[in-house]
Amino acid sequence: VQLQAYGGGLVQAGGFQRLSCAASGRTFNLYVMGWFRQAPGKEREFVAATNWRGDMPYYTDSVKGRFTISRDNAKNTVYLQMNSLKPEDTAIYYCAASRGGMTTRGEYDYWGQGTLVTVSS
């Protein structure tokens, strides 16, 4: 599985941004899909994930109520809708695919190249 994330950019605090991640391969719908992020000088952290049907989302506490993960298996694409953005959301966002686990970086088998989101105050 090859993943291509895009949609990052510069946004003002309180604004919104939608990230997309396009996947190659015919087995996209078998994978858990997740989003991670890495801020400057920090470890890569889990943000959100969803199961293969897209009906079981899971979020880290800091984004609950603001971010929404969704997927379109017909388009081999997973999305991250980010609302009410804060400066602390500034990071490189990575999409990833997992055969099983959802929240731990080591459980993911495939990674996209990352897309930078910068939230200005």
Side-chain angles (χ1 to χ4, degrees), residues 58-119:
Y58 191 82
Y59 302 94
T60 192
D61 286 346
S62 62
V63 308
K64 283 180 181 176
R66 300 189 298 122
F67 290 12
T68 301
I69 187 171
S70 62
R71 65 190 294 165
D72 186 337
N73 288 338
K75 295 182 178 180
N76 279 13
T77 302
V78 62
Y79 306 96
L80 186 67
Q81 178 67 42
M82 305 184 294
N83 298 330
S84 302
L85 282 162
K86 305 175 180 179
E88 52 264 42
D89 294 318
T90 295
I92 299 173
Y93 284 73
Y94 299 88
C95 61
S98 166
R99 292 187 180 95
M102 293 185 77
T103 64
T104 303
R105 180 178 174 180
E107 295 174 310
Y108 284 77
D109 304 288
Y110 303 97
W111 292 84
Q113 85 291 356
T115 184
L116 176 63
V117 174
T118 303
V119 184

Side-chain angles (χ1 to χ4, degrees), residues 5-26:
Y6 55 96
L10 176 64
V11 61
Q12 288 189 330
F16 61 90
Q17 195 88 349
R18 188 173 87 153
L19 304 182
S20 301
C21 175
S24 65
R26 293 176 290 178

